[in-house]
Amino acid sequence: MSLLHIVTFSPFLLAIFVPFFYKYIRKVHTGWFVLPLPVLLFAYFTQFISTVSHGNTYEQSFKWIPSLGIDVRLYVDGLSLLFSLLITGIGSLVILYSIYYLSKTKEALNSFYVYLLLFMGAMLGVVLSDNVIVLYTFWELTSLSSFLLIGYWYQREKSRYGAQKSMLITVFGGLAMLGGFILLYIMSGTFSIREMVQNVGTIASHELFIPALILVLLGAFTKSAQFPFHIWLPDAMEAPTPVSAYLHSATMVKAGIYLLARLSPIFADTSVWFVTVSAVGITTLFWGSFSAVKQTDLKGILAFSTISQLGLIMSLIGVGSAALHYEFLGDNIYVVAITAAVFHLINHATFKGSLFMVVGIVDHETGTRDIRKLGGLMSFMPITFTIAIIGCFAMAGLPPFNGFLSKEMFFTGMVHVTKMDIYNMETWGVLFPVLAWIASVFTFVYSMVIVFKTFTGKYQPEKLAKKPHEAPIGMLVPPIILASLVILFGLFPNLLAHSIIEPAMASIMPALLDTGEKFYVHISFWHGWTPELFMTMGVIALGVLLFITVAKWSKLYSLFPQKLALNHFYDRGLSAIDKGSYSFMRLWMTGFLRDYLVYIFAFLIAIVLGTLFVKDAFSMKFDNLAPVGVYEAILIIAMIIAAFMTVLSKSRLTAIIALGMVGYSVALFFILFRAPDLALTQLVIETISTALFLLCFYHLPEMQRLPKKFKFRMNNFLISLGVGVTVTLVALSSHSTKLFDSITQYFVENSYTEAGGKNIVNVILVDFRGFDTLFEITVLGIAAFGIYAMIKLRLTRKESEE
Amino acid sequence: MKVNDLILQTVTKVVAFIILIFSIYLFWTGHYTPGGGFVGGLMASSALVLMLLAFDVKTIKNVIPFDYKMIIATGLFIAVATGLGSFVFDVPFLTHTFGHPHLPGLGEVSLATASLFDLGVYLVVVGVTMTIIQTIGESE
């Protein structure tokens, strides 16, 4: 247990104490007790920056299940440090924000902070774990805590719907990912990611490589809300706004990106990876920004915006993998894509976090998030307005904010896809810059919608629930910090280049570096009259045009058929599964005993006969048979007649008598085959059971006493014929293939000398195999008590009813 | 309607004893000739059933005031106890022994502990059969 472990598990430890703070210290908002932890953790992680930026890593291991090779090995390198800083840093800000956002008296703060701390710890575990099983454990814990947080207002139906949807989709992906991890383990023999990276040659040539790749990608795509799994994210907006800001913009949705970046060294060298990741990323980017424009809820816009920005990062990671094919570091243009991915990851966390907080403030101070009701808030909330402008302009990719820089680099990466001469990109590559550019135009439009529809235009006080006013200072501090970071990283991007981005890139693409070599990143504002710059100008020009005319063309969205929407497919699919399984169960769980017997016997026939023929086990030998005597022949005929009478008789009484006849014939058989004990017992038992049958017959209710005619049913006939044939064949075969002598001889020889008895049957029953007899008499006892209880209890119930 | 079944009752008074004795015979000789606790028990209960048929349930309950459920329990107890008894002699569960002691007045007899176990079986069978028949007979 090292300090790093204590740090990772500290949120869980604190989560245990939160309810006590909540219960016993009611005067102070519980959030204040939570706040110091992420701040401390942030401080703790900053001390790694110097280690990591010099190309070193830090590792601590703690044995968990050593026999399975599962240990909690925590590993700090550029990538995990970047994520840890994001998680703890934005975590601190979100907790500060939530202290002012959530009411001390109205909300169940204890559960809120417990869930949030669970999430924070789980997220730290995901990014720091080196062991894939531990990573998976924390991964599912993030799904679970996210589920709890989305359903925080569980009395609302939409919250429950959103929570269930996100749970189903992310757990589906998580399980797929677990499958991928297990395949990786089969291929490499280790659960450790870094050891897998060392064995990458063996893994890449293995036949399970592609299945593992696809499964891992499923996990990453569902978690990071990529097309078509993005549908859970907009519904997750039912969560409290601090949760949306933290989980659904800055941290959890980036877990999928983290996973891809982390496993890039293993998978990135294949065309499947390149094509899938970049194509899904660019599709998501386009679809997310396209859908964001039609939203009227501010959080809805931000949700689709998050989807689209995640797609952007995803496509950059995909395109960046092409760098592995052009292996000279000097002017490798595809490395820029990785740089852009890491840089935009940071930028997105800053501006999207601040935008969610802004939306939260607007919601909190006006009572609505609907842009149709909002407008003219600029004079009421100047600070919020400023932050919104900074965040949105950064999101739209305008200078001098950090979004501009990462968007320029994004365009650079996309433009260079067209120049690629692998994977048929000569023909398809042109789609990438085109889709990226269109998506950027839409991004520009919805960013402007957020700012100008909310803060400028006509003020509509009659539609607002509250009189708007500026938020309290505590609510403003976190977005102010984030917005300052947006400007800071925009003006001085190289602050991050050396300390964070380079080490993170080194963890994503270690294969590009020789030992001792390092990436060199220098982000500059001005890089000449490049195509990217013209693209940005085009985006602004067309974006302004579209924003001004948005009211005219946004009706086009309603042309899109609702039936083809992915949500519709999801809902229909869910109810189809529900109804399908219900009707499937109703189809064969009929409630009739007769049907179940048909299934049981049909399966018996199919399995036993099938085995008999598949294994070619049927055999018939006649060399060891006893001669058939006259008495046996007569008895057989009598029994057959009796059996037919039982089945075909028209009255029950005949059937009972015929059954008795069968029973007495069996007793006679026992006599013929020299089994006197059996014959005695059979006689008495047959008498008793016939008497009991007659009793039952006598007590049948009046209505059904009419003797029913025997009804012929083809199904039943076939099934019973089948069972008879099966059993006969099996009996013949087993009789014909006796593999060893019976042990009878031992009993014959030893019954007198060992047990002092001459009746071998009785000696076996009470001495050699007395144990069986002991439990047979127990069974008899239980039967007697059962009958007694059934009859007596029925009587007492009747009495109590009267 | 009151039926005069004097013949049946008289015959029963004689025959029941014969059946009972036969059942005891079956039980005792079970180790050497066909018979044993199970058939013996069934035979004994058939004697009791015959008495039930000839007389009514109440009369028989007065004559033979046993709770048959207790007889089941006693039989099971005897069977388990013979099994447990083998532990006293440090041998596995349900190990039986036998001997041919010379008893005064009876001469040489063959005695086996397995018979004690068989006695348990006998009692359980009697108890079970009688419990079932009496319960069903008493209902309605």
Side-chain angles (χ1 to χ4, degrees):
Chain A
M1 216 61 174
S2 64
L3 184 58
L4 188 57
H5 283 92
I6 295 169
V7 160
T8 312
F9 288 101
S10 57
F12 300 120
L13 291 177
L14 183 60
I16 297 174
F17 295 104
V18 164
F20 295 104
F21 289 130
Y22 177 71
K23 192 168 178 198
Y24 295 110
I25 313 176
R26 290 307 294 255
K27 282 187 180 165
V28 186
H29 195 286
T30 316
W32 291 113
F33 299 106
V34 180
L35 185 60
L37 181 76
V39 176
L40 276 177
L41 297 188
F42 185 76
Y44 173 79
F45 280 113
T46 47
Q47 58 155 347
F48 285 109
I49 292 179
S50 67
T51 320
V52 166
S53 64
H54 288 95
N56 300 316
T57 55
Y58 181 72
E59 181 189 319
Q60 284 294 339
S61 197
F62 173 74
K63 291 223 179 317
W64 183 22
I65 315 175
S67 57
L68 297 178
I70 297 171
D71 42 10
V72 186
R73 187 187 289 177
L74 302 181
Y75 179 65
V76 182
D77 66 348
L79 190 63
S80 46
L81 180 63
L82 161 64
F83 272 92
S84 308
L85 286 174
L86 276 181
I87 293 160
T88 50
I90 296 187
S92 320
L93 297 177
V94 161
I95 288 171
L96 176 62
Y97 179 78
S98 69
I99 291 172
Y100 290 90
Y101 186 85
L102 292 173
S103 156
K104 198 163 62 180
T105 46
K106 287 178 201 157
E107 305 286 356
L109 292 174
N110 50 347
S111 33
F112 181 79
Y113 286 107
V114 167
Y115 302 158
L116 205 66
L117 281 170
L118 276 184
F119 171 77
M120 189 184 287
M123 203 60 210
L124 277 178
V126 165
V127 300
L128 290 170
S129 303
D130 181 55
N131 190 296
V132 284
I133 298 298
V134 178
L135 193 156
Y136 171 74
T137 314
F138 284 119
W139 183 279
E140 290 297 19
L141 203 53
T142 63
S143 297
L144 185 70
S145 47
S146 158
F147 168 77
L148 291 169
L149 282 168
I150 297 170
Y152 176 65
W153 287 310
Y154 54 83
Q155 58 276 42
R156 301 182 189 169
E157 204 204 329
K158 277 182 133 185
S159 292
R160 299 197 299 270
Y161 172 78
Q164 187 206 35
K165 194 175 190 178
S166 75
M167 184 75 163
L168 283 176
I169 293 177
T170 53
V171 167
F172 160 73
L175 286 174
M177 188 184 79
L178 177 65
F181 286 164
I182 291 169
L183 291 185
L184 279 175
Y185 174 73
I186 293 169
M187 287 186 277
S188 64
T190 172
F191 283 124
S192 159
I193 295 176
R194 279 182 312 136
E195 284 168 30
M196 284 176 195
V197 172
Q198 282 158 15
N199 294 334
V200 69
T202 348
I203 296 178
S205 55
H206 202 280
E207 56 185 354
L208 292 175
F209 178 71
I210 295 296
L213 175 102
I214 291 167
L215 288 173
V216 167
L217 282 182
L218 266 180
F221 288 164
T222 49
K223 198 76 165 178
S224 279
Q226 297 296 296
F227 190 87
F229 306 113
H230 64 272
I231 47 172
W232 66 267
L233 190 59
D235 286 307
M237 291 301 132
E238 291 301 322
T241 303
V243 172
S244 309
Y246 189 39
L247 273 70
H248 306 125
S249 70
T251 52
M252 189 181 83
V253 286
K254 296 207 169 77
I257 288 171
Y258 167 80
L259 186 73
L260 290 195
R262 180 53 87 200
L263 297 178
S264 268
I266 302 174
F267 291 119
D269 208 0
T270 52
S271 58
V272 183
W273 174 275
F274 171 81
V275 172
T276 325
V277 177
S278 9
V280 168
I282 203 93
T283 317
T284 314
L285 165 66
F286 170 73
W287 188 249
S289 60
F290 175 73
S291 312
V293 180
K294 71 174 168 186
Q295 304 297 319
T296 52
D297 177 24
L298 283 173
K299 272 176 106 177
I301 301 180
L302 288 180
F304 277 105
S305 147
T306 305
I307 292 167
S308 116
Q309 304 280 321
L310 291 168
L312 186 153
I313 301 172
M314 201 66 98
S315 67
L316 282 172
I317 286 181
V319 169
S321 72
L324 292 168
H325 295 270
Y326 302 92
E327 290 202 6
F328 34 92
L329 195 53
D331 52 345
N332 191 336
I333 37 178
Y334 299 106
V335 175
V336 170
I338 301 289
T339 317
V342 177
F343 190 42
H344 195 71
L345 185 84
I346 304 167
N347 294 345
H348 177 250
T350 53
F351 66 67
K352 193 51 69 64
S354 70
L355 282 177
F356 266 109
M357 291 176 185
V358 163
V359 168
I361 290 171
V362 170
D363 187 13
H364 205 265
E365 305 307 337
T366 63
T368 181
R369 301 194 304 252
D370 194 329
I371 51 171
R372 289 167 299 191
K373 294 183 187 166
L374 294 167
L377 295 178
M378 185 167 60
S379 50
F380 295 101
M381 326 178 151
I383 306 174
T384 318
F385 172 62
T386 316
I387 301 165
I389 281 217
I390 295 170
C392 283
F393 282 17
M395 184 157 73
L398 295 175
F401 306 111
N402 56 9
F404 171 70
L405 300 165
S406 45
K407 186 145 285 187
E408 290 287 283
M409 286 153 76
F410 166 63
F411 281 149
T412 313
M414 290 300 140
V415 167
H416 282 105
V417 173
T418 50
K419 296 179 185 156
M420 223 175 261
D421 53 1
I422 44 170
Y423 312 142
N424 285 330
M425 273 300 131
E426 299 95 329
T427 31
W428 294 103
V430 72
L431 275 176
F432 280 82
V434 170
L435 276 176
W437 188 77
I438 300 174
S440 297
V441 174
F442 281 113
T443 307
F444 185 89
V445 174
Y446 71 68
S447 303
M448 295 308 117
V449 166
I450 295 177
V451 178
F452 293 109
K453 295 260 172 177
T454 315
F455 292 100
T456 61
K458 218 176 94 200
Y459 172 51
Q460 304 161 295
E462 71 282 358
K463 289 188 183 171
L464 299 179
K466 301 176 185 173
K467 181 156 171 48
H469 56 84
E470 189 56 276
I473 185 73
M475 241 165 142
L476 287 170
V477 166
I480 286 175
I481 293 175
L482 286 173
S484 328
L485 286 177
V486 169
I487 301 177
L488 191 67
F489 294 155
L491 295 178
F492 309 104
N494 294 311
L495 274 180
L496 294 174
H498 182 62
S499 53
I500 305 274
I501 299 179
E502 285 173 13
M505 286 168 66
S507 345
I508 300 175
M509 288 283 157
L512 289 176
L513 296 174
D514 293 331
T515 41
E517 215 180 343
K518 277 176 64 181
F519 284 107
Y520 179 69
V521 172
H522 186 78
I523 303 164
S524 56
F525 241 106
W526 177 255
H527 34 80
W529 293 101
T530 47
E532 308 71 287
L533 192 61
F534 292 112
M535 282 168 83
T536 306
M537 286 154 111
V539 166
I540 296 171
L542 189 63
V544 169
L545 190 70
L546 281 178
F547 174 64
I548 292 168
T549 57
V550 71
K552 292 184 178 128
W553 58 271
S554 61
K555 284 171 196 135
L556 288 175
Y557 278 111
S558 55
L559 293 179
F560 185 76
Q562 198 59 42
K563 275 193 175 170
L564 288 176
L566 285 164
N567 270 322
H568 184 70
F569 281 120
Y570 167 84
D571 292 336
R572 285 283 296 274
L574 214 57
S575 70
I577 291 172
D578 207 16
K579 279 183 196 146
S581 39
Y582 179 73
S583 54
F584 177 67
M585 292 305 283
R586 289 302 299 253
L587 189 69
W588 58 285
M589 299 303 280
T590 53
F592 289 112
L593 204 56
R594 194 191 305 126
D595 290 340
Y596 303 148
L597 286 176
V598 166
Y599 308 146
I600 292 169
F601 284 122
F603 272 94
L604 177 90
I605 297 167
I607 289 166
V608 175
L609 268 193
T611 317
L612 207 60
F613 284 105
V614 169
K615 297 274 175 191
D616 200 22
F618 181 70
S619 72
M620 206 151 60
K621 278 191 232 155
F622 293 109
D623 50 351
N624 200 15
L625 295 183
V628 182
V630 186
Y631 296 119
E632 284 103 324
I634 295 170
L635 260 183
I636 291 269
I637 292 166
M639 269 177 87
I640 290 176
I641 293 171
F644 269 100
M645 271 172 68
T646 316
V647 176
L648 299 174
S649 67
K650 282 175 188 164
S651 81
R652 292 200 182 94
L653 197 58
T654 325
I656 292 168
I657 305 276
L659 209 59
M661 188 169 148
V662 175
Y664 287 130
S665 319
V666 171
L668 286 178
F669 256 115
F670 287 144
I671 293 170
L672 272 185
F673 292 144
R674 284 169 293 171
D677 296 84
L678 289 186
L680 273 172
T681 315
Q682 171 71 19
L683 271 174
V684 185
I685 289 292
E686 188 59 40
T687 315
I688 290 177
S689 55
T690 308
L692 286 177
F693 271 130
L694 286 172
L695 195 70
C696 296
F697 172 78
Y698 182 76
H699 283 293
L700 275 180
E702 201 75 41
M703 295 261 292
Q704 294 173 357
R705 204 182 273 184
L706 291 172
K708 266 192 191 153
K709 209 185 151 219
F710 167 76
K711 242 197 221 164
F712 182 77
R713 282 197 189 82
M714 197 63 195
N715 274 350
N716 296 359
F717 174 70
L718 286 178
I719 294 266
S720 49
L721 194 70
V723 172
V725 168
T726 308
V727 173
T728 313
L729 290 180
V730 169
L732 283 174
S733 313
S734 60
H735 180 77
S736 311
T737 46
K738 278 186 177 153
L739 300 176
F740 41 78
D741 293 333
S742 87
I743 55 167
T744 333
Q745 206 53 40
Y746 172 84
F747 295 125
V748 174
E749 281 164 8
N750 293 297
S751 81
Y752 190 68
T753 51
E754 295 284 322
K758 284 179 181 160
N759 180 356
I760 302 171
V761 175
N762 198 50
V763 168
I764 292 175
L765 280 180
V766 297
D767 197 332
F768 290 131
R769 300 275 172 81
F771 203 61
D772 296 346
T773 313
L774 181 61
F775 287 98
E776 275 154 23
I777 55 177
T778 314
V779 168
L780 283 179
I782 291 169
F785 286 124
I787 289 170
Y788 182 78
M790 277 196 294
I791 288 175
K792 293 290 173 189
L793 286 184
R794 192 196 56 185
L795 287 177
T796 49
R797 198 172 57 221
K798 249 185 197 166
E799 277 159 17
S800 68
E801 272 168 11
E802 283 160 6
Chain B
M1 188 182 80
K2 179 78 182 159
V3 187
N4 190 1
D5 38 9
L6 183 67
I7 298 177
L8 179 62
Q9 289 180 352
T10 316
V11 169
T12 302
K13 279 174 191 164
V14 181
V15 170
F17 280 103
I18 299 175
I19 299 177
L20 274 177
I21 289 166
F22 181 57
S23 101
I24 291 164
Y25 167 79
L26 277 177
F27 167 70
W28 274 115
T29 60
H31 224 49
Y32 282 84
T33 56
F38 201 84
V39 184
L42 283 174
M43 227 21 116
S45 39
S46 68
L48 294 172
V49 171
L50 183 63
M51 293 199 280
L52 277 178
L53 288 175
F55 305 92
D56 58 325
V57 178
K58 268 185 190 163
T59 319
I60 300 301
K61 259 195 174 172
N62 286 335
V63 177
I64 312 167
F66 292 134
D67 184 357
Y68 293 107
K69 296 189 289 301
M70 288 309 291
I71 293 186
I72 300 178
T74 317
L76 279 173
F77 175 77
I78 292 174
V80 174
T82 38
L84 291 176
S86 57
F87 288 142
V88 178
F89 302 97
D90 203 19
V91 284
F93 185 65
L94 267 176
T95 306
H96 290 301
T97 184
F98 65 95
H100 300 277
H102 205 87
L103 292 183
L106 289 171
E108 188 183 299
V109 290
S110 160
L111 284 179
T113 50
S115 295
L116 276 175
F117 182 79
D118 230 8
L119 179 67
V121 177
Y122 184 95
L123 290 177
V124 170
V125 172
V126 172
V128 167
T129 326
M130 292 317 293
T131 309
I132 293 175
I133 287 170
Q134 233 180 29
T135 323
I136 294 178
E138 274 174 2
S139 77
E140 282 158 86

